[in-house]
Amino acid sequence: MSRTVIRNGLVVTATDEVLADVLVDGEQVAALATPESGQADTWADGAERVIDATDRYVIPGGVDAHTHMELPFGGTFASDTFETGTRAAAWGGTTTIIDFAVQTVGQSIREGLDAWFAKAEGNCAIDYGFHMIVGDVTDQSLKEMDMLVGEGITSFKLFMAYPGVFYSDDGQILRAMQAAAGNGGLIMMHAENGIAIDVLIAQALARGQTDPKYHGVVRHALLEAEATHRAIQLARVAGAPVYIVHLSALEALAEVTAARDSGFNAFAETCPQYLYLSTDDLGRPGFEGAKYVCSTPLRPAEHQAELWKGLRTNDLSVVSTDHCPFCFKEQKELGLGDFSKIPNGLPGVETRMDLLHQAVVDGHIGRNRWIEIACTTPAKMFGLYPRKGTITPGGDADIVVYDPNAGQVLSADTHHMNVDYSCYEGRSITGRVATVLSRGKVVVDGGEYLGRKGDGRYLTRGTCQYLR
Ligand SMILES: [Zn+2]
């Protein structure tokens, strides 16, 4: 087995910051020791590789619990494949993704899941797991959910939005939550009132309001808050925990906060786009706002302070990306003249770790919290801890050596995601990935990609480890 020693770095986890040397043996972390102990000299003897991490952080690889590689949406497909998207993730210091397999109406869950296994297998640069989108809650689907939990797919996404596509009604949602209460699964909810939103879309288009900015107007913050409230109450009735995905509105956050204050297991994630972008971007001149069309939508900038606060108080527990890129040319352009036809989604899997480090630089969160929301909590939430999400003996050696002082400018010219624009074009940030290990193998180092497709393995997950 090959051994790697990472010396003199500041090892940062969700709980600790300590100057330490790390021994990687094969695919796992074997030991940590203080530099003064001299232990690393012994380890370095016969090691295949010694990495000098002086003045750098040594952090767990990122866990992005919300990606959509190759997702079919609105008559096209998300432009990153499992190959290109996971490679871009590695470049950005993320070593685990949990993507969404899709069951469509009339299809069994098994058929949907098998199709996603086939897309991912042999193509991923980093380890990957799946949540299951349950698009058709039927007696059969409910039985299949029990089977999936037994097989390590322990989380299920439902939609209160997109009538006629992924939408579930309240009765279907309640039944799925009851099933989760029995089998230990975690229901993830896209919380927007899609029935009401569709009325507002039709009214806006009838008034000739076709520009991208109207996407943000019709997907009203109160319709996110209403659906969030309803999802939480249905979960309480069913006796199941609930996880709200891509929360963007402060009114929706207030619903999660109230539920958590009453002791209920409600959790929520937000995404970097809601922390750094706003309706100002959606309203950019011409059709450029289409680059910023995602659902839930970007909100006015004043929501951002509440989201940062929610991250500090743990009413927001996770930051994932909802990575779902569509090229501006030809894909976003499907919605020229009709904002409702713009494919919903943004690229982000490569920039999450850096943007959250920038939040440390800016003083929004501390270093431990950076690691907690980006690595540790997502691993616990979705049953991967401590194999993923921290640096501990016996855990997978998914490790990022991070240079906190290096500057970089985000741009489509230099990113590795398969999409023709960056949401953060020209933005200067501080900090960047130096070296990435995925299960002990160096996959990124010194500006070079050293891995290959198929390095990443499928992850069988346990049930949620984050319940109170
Ligand atoms: Zn999503």
Side-chain angles (χ1 to χ4, degrees), residues 66-68 71 100 133 157 159 162 190 245-246 269 271 295-296 321-324 344:
H66 192 153
T67 67
H68 297 284
L71 179 77
F100 289 84
I133 289 177
K157 188 178 180 188
F159 288 78
Y162 306 127
H190 180 132
V245 294
H246 50 54
E269 68 177 16
C271 310
S295 295
T296 59
T321 60
D322 197 9
H323 176 79
C324 192
N344 285 203

Side-chain angles (χ1 to χ4, degrees), residues 190-273:
H190 180 132
E192 283 188 296
N193 186 327
I195 302 279
I197 286 168
D198 275 6
V199 169
L200 296 179
I201 290 172
Q203 290 171 346
L205 293 175
R207 283 193 294 267
Q209 296 170 332
T210 61
D211 289 345
K213 71 175 179 187
Y214 293 104
H215 173 81
V217 175
V218 300
R219 303 189 88 90
H220 201 290
L222 292 178
L223 296 178
E224 184 188 348
E226 183 278 326
T228 302
H229 177 84
R230 186 157 34 101
I232 290 169
Q233 302 312 327
L234 289 168
R236 292 175 75 170
V237 169
V242 65
Y243 178 97
I244 307 295
V245 294
H246 50 54
L247 186 148
S248 71
L250 63 89
E251 295 88 344
L253 177 57
E255 296 290 344
V256 173
T257 302
R260 291 177 59 77
D261 287 350
S262 73
F264 180 65
N265 274 318
F267 310 106
E269 68 177 16
T270 191
C271 310
Q273 54 267 33

Side-chain angles (χ1 to χ4, degrees), residues 318-370:
V318 171
V319 176
S320 54
T321 60
D322 197 9
H323 176 79
C324 192
F326 297 98
C327 286
F328 185 63
K329 290 258 170 272
E330 292 180 10
Q331 291 194 297
K332 290 288 188 182
E333 283 176 355
L334 291 168
L336 270 169
D338 179 350
F339 70 84
S340 74
K341 295 203 162 58
I342 300 169
N344 285 203
L346 306 184
V349 75
E350 187 173 352
T351 45
R352 181 186 67 128
M353 295 298 287
D354 285 332
L355 287 167
L356 292 176
H357 178 260
Q358 185 63 37
V360 175
V361 174
D362 294 342
H364 291 300
I365 54 174
R367 280 191 294 232
N368 297 122
R369 186 62 179 157
W370 169 42

